[in-house]
């Protein structure tokens, strides 16, 4: 069982350890949540929005300290950690300002259903369990917490065991902002304790962002209990480049899209599918720019790529690359773990990948790019869709007919044309196939944990 602890990925040093909650403490937390929901659901949107805005204001003031905490716990660069904190501020404010309209009653044509009035009303489900990952330790949790609380639900957060300080901070932040005790609680528990919480009859639903095995487990338990779930799992996003693309912009964005968050993002571009007419030019420039990235101390503002979050994660990435090379793939840059303290892996580009290699279908959760040469748009779409995942995708072209085909035919929850896949509070976020189901963010996200109640009046 992994310890619940803050371990600095840049050094491997364990900074602080935490004691897991006992069964009695977890039961008490669920009781508080259920009791609070009975009252909290009756608060109005205006009151919830005041508390949500207060949370945004506090976080904005504390962004530097919060960024340092996230960098310490999971190794993202300080620059990206600060950006994440401020993105959470934006998420809080979006739902504070828009939840009332997103959850407004939806009128029906009363005359057609023989009524004087008929409408659909969104109402909160109750206690919702959130099982969250370490890679965006604050944003992942906030994009659940903000809509869930604004909808009138209460939350229990089971965060990844390597980011306990960030998990505790979010619960404390929301309490200091004014949300009543029990509205949002962090449970410091190991993965093995999730089933007990999810099976508790007072817990109404669950959301999980994380690995496919974790998603399968939560979905199976929730299915057995007939409880609603939202799953956002892995991704192996395609990044397609066609001859009409702005190649300089495509290469520059490709580098950022692959190494964002030290390469540890579900929506990072991972498979670069390039038309043969521009393949050589793209590959040369891409390898050069990936090679030029500076790997180092994530607190140094000049660092481009910090360490991977865990030693096991670094080792898995190294093993995936080694297996590909052994099977005949060619490393164009990187490809060898760095001999230094901490869990670093260099930006890596691999070519000459064939379908019989494991890396063809696996997600590589680190700064490793797979590059494929294709003859035409048909082959590009075929390779893009030849994956068990379907989270995000990117396509670069100035041809309107190609844009239409990519938007229509790429099998993914999101298609970004001539830009990098990014999550926005205003847009629905989620995937298909083994990338999960359900949606976060936007109006679709806040409605996931609502009962859509039909009201008919004679």
């Amino acid at each position: 069982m992994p310890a619940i602890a803050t371990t600095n990925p840049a050094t491997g040093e364990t900074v602080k350890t935490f004691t897991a909650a006992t069964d009695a403490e977890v039961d008490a937390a669920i009781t508080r949540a259920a009791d609070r929901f009975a009252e909290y659901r009756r608060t109005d949107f205006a009151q919830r929005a005041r508390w949500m805005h207060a949370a945004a204001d506090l976080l904005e003031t504390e962004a530097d300290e919060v960024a340092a905490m996230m960098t310490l716990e999971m190794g993202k660069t300080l620059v990206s950690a600060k950006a994440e904190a401020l993105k959470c501020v934006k998420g809080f404010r979006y739902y504070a300002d828009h939840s009332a309209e997103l959850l407004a009653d939806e009128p029906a044509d009363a005359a057609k259903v023989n009524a004087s009035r008929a409408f659909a009303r969104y109402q909160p489900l109750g206690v919702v369990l959130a099982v969250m990952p370490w890679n965006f330790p604050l944003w992942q949790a906030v994009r659940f917490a903000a809509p869930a609380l604004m909808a009138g639900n209460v939350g229990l957060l089971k965060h990844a065991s390597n980011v306990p300080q960030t998990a505790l901070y979010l619960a404390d932040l929301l309490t200091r902002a004014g949300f009543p005790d029990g509205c949002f609680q962090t449970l410091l528990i190991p993965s093995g304790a999730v089933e007990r919480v999810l099976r508790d009859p007072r817990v109404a639903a669950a959301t999980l962002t994380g690995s496919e095995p974790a998603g399968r487990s939560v979905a199976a338990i929730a299915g057995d209990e007939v409880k609603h779930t939202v799953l956002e799992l892995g991704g192996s996003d395609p990044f397609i480049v066609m001859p009409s693309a702005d190649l300089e912009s495509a290469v520059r964005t490709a580098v950022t899209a692959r190494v964002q968050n030290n390469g540890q993002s579900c929506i990072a571009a991972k498979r670069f599918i390039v038309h043969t007419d521009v393949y050589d030019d793209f590959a040369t420039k891409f390898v050069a720019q990936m090679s030029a990235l500076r790997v180092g101390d994530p607190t140094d503002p000049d660092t481009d790529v910090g360490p991977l979050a865990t030693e096991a994660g670094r080792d898995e990435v190294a093993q995936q690359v080694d297996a590909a090379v052994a099977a005949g793939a060619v490393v164009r840059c990187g490809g060898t773990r760095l001999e230094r303290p901490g869990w670093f892996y260099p930006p890596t580009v691999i070519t000459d990948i064939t379908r019989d290699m494991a890396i063809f279908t696996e997600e590589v959760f680190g700064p490793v790019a797979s590059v494929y040469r294709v003859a035409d748009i048909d082959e590009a779409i075929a390779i893009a869709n030849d994956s068990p995942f379907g989270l995000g995708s990117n396509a670069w072209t100035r041809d309107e007919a190609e844009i239409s085909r990519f938007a229509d035919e790429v099998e993914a929850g999101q298609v970004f044309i001539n830009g990098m896949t990014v999550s926005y509070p205003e847009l629905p976020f989620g995937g298909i196939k083994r990338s999960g189901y359900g949606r976060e963010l936007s109006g679709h996200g806040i409605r996931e944990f609502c009962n859509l109640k039909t009201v008919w009046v004679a």
Side-chain angles (χ1 to χ4, degrees):
M1 180 191 307
I4 300 175
T6 297
T7 300
N8 186 349
T11 65
E13 174 192 6
T14 296
V15 177
K16 189 174 183 179
T17 58
F18 296 79
T19 302
T22 65
D23 287 348
E25 289 170 334
V26 171
D27 286 341
I30 298 173
T31 298
R32 279 194 300 274
D35 290 347
R36 177 56 61 191
F37 173 66
E39 302 173 16
Y40 179 70
R41 67 179 301 174
R42 305 192 186 284
T43 60
D44 59 24
F45 286 112
Q47 177 58 76
R48 297 172 202 162
R50 284 192 287 272
W51 291 328
M52 194 65 68
H53 272 297
D57 294 344
L58 283 169
L59 178 54
E60 190 169 39
T61 300
E62 299 165 359
D64 288 329
E65 299 94 316
V66 173
M69 177 176 63
M70 288 191 283
T71 295
L72 173 66
E73 290 206 301
M74 59 73 55
K76 67 170 71 241
T77 64
L78 199 56
V79 172
S80 64
K82 176 72 174 289
E84 179 174 340
L86 295 178
K87 184 172 186 175
C88 293
V89 171
K90 179 181 178 182
F92 280 139
R93 289 176 177 156
Y94 173 79
Y95 280 106
D97 293 338
H98 296 285
S99 292
E101 64 188 82
L102 294 173
L103 296 180
D105 288 349
E106 297 178 356
D109 188 331
K112 287 187 176 180
V113 294
N114 302 314
S116 63
R117 283 176 291 153
F119 56 90
R121 173 165 291 173
Y122 292 97
Q123 294 185 311
L125 292 180
V127 181
V128 182
L129 171 65
V131 182
M132 293 289 111
W134 45 260
N135 57 333
F136 291 95
L138 196 61
W139 172 238
Q140 298 277 12
V142 164
R143 76 186 196 193
F144 155 73
L149 290 171
M150 283 303 302
N153 294 295
V154 298
L156 296 172
L157 172 63
K158 186 280 182 234
H159 218 323
S161 294
N162 59 326
V163 289
Q165 294 189 58
T166 305
L168 292 168
Y169 170 81
L170 179 57
D172 178 65
L173 172 70
L174 293 167
T175 298
R176 287 187 288 125
F179 284 96
D181 179 59
C183 277
F184 192 89
Q185 301 172 80
T186 287
L187 304 177
L188 292 184
I189 56 175
S191 299
V194 168
E195 179 171 359
R196 184 170 176 273
V197 177
L198 187 50
R199 289 193 183 278
D200 191 295
R202 296 167 294 180
V203 174
T207 180
L208 177 141
T209 298
S211 69
E212 185 183 337
R216 288 177 181 274
S217 175
V218 164
I221 297 165
D224 188 50
E225 296 290 336
V226 197
K227 294 180 180 181
H228 180 66
T229 53
V230 170
L231 302 181
E232 193 264 279
L233 309 178
S236 188
D237 290 9
F239 188 106
I240 302 168
V241 182
M242 299 299 288
S244 66
D246 178 341
L247 201 62
E248 297 298 329
S249 183
V251 171
R252 186 169 58 251
T253 304
V255 172
T256 303
R258 178 61 284 220
V259 303
Q260 60 172 313
N261 209 42
N262 304 340
Q264 302 162 120
S265 171
C266 295
I267 55 169
K270 299 183 177 80
R271 296 178 297 135
F272 297 82
I273 301 166
V274 186
H275 192 284
T276 188
D277 290 355
V278 291
Y279 177 91
D280 291 334
D281 197 9
F282 176 91
T284 298
K285 292 175 178 177
F286 185 49
V287 169
Q289 291 186 30
M290 288 282 281
S291 301
L293 294 172
R294 179 175 175 180
V295 179
D297 179 358
T299 65
D300 184 339
D302 292 328
T303 292
D304 298 305
V305 180
L308 300 193
T310 67
E311 185 174 20
R314 189 276 313 273
D315 291 347
E316 181 177 3
V317 168
Q319 290 163 7
Q320 288 174 299
V321 172
D322 291 347
V325 171
V330 175
V331 171
R332 300 285 296 272
C333 69
T336 304
R337 70 178 70 193
L338 303 176
E339 297 301 323
R340 59 185 297 173
W343 303 316
F344 293 88
Y345 197 83
T348 298
V349 177
I350 303 176
T351 61
D352 299 82
I353 296 166
T354 57
R355 205 191 184 295
D356 59 331
M357 299 178 185
I359 203 168
F360 186 93
T361 53
E362 293 176 342
E363 176 183 26
V364 182
F365 217 57
V368 176
S370 301
V371 183
Y372 299 83
R373 184 195 296 266
V374 294
D376 53 31
I377 189 171
D378 294 326
E379 187 179 6
I381 292 172
I383 290 181
N385 292 341
D386 193 4
S387 169
F389 300 105
L391 188 54
S393 60
N394 308 258
W396 288 74
T397 176
R398 297 173 183 174
D399 185 301
E400 284 298 326
E402 291 177 348
I403 290 173
S404 179
R405 286 196 63 187
F406 288 132
D408 188 55
E409 297 179 35
V410 172
E411 297 170 355
Q414 300 144 93
V415 178
F416 278 62
I417 307 295
N418 298 328
M420 189 175 83
T421 306
V422 178
S423 60
Y424 293 96
E426 299 86 353
L427 294 175
F429 183 95
I432 60 173
K433 299 195 281 190
R434 293 188 181 178
S435 290
Y437 52 75
R439 291 296 180 266
E440 297 177 286
L441 302 175
S442 78
H444 297 280
I446 195 170
R447 296 179 195 121
E448 283 282 2
F449 295 109
C450 290
N451 170 30
L452 180 57
K453 180 184 286 184
T454 296
V455 179
W456 183 96
V457 181

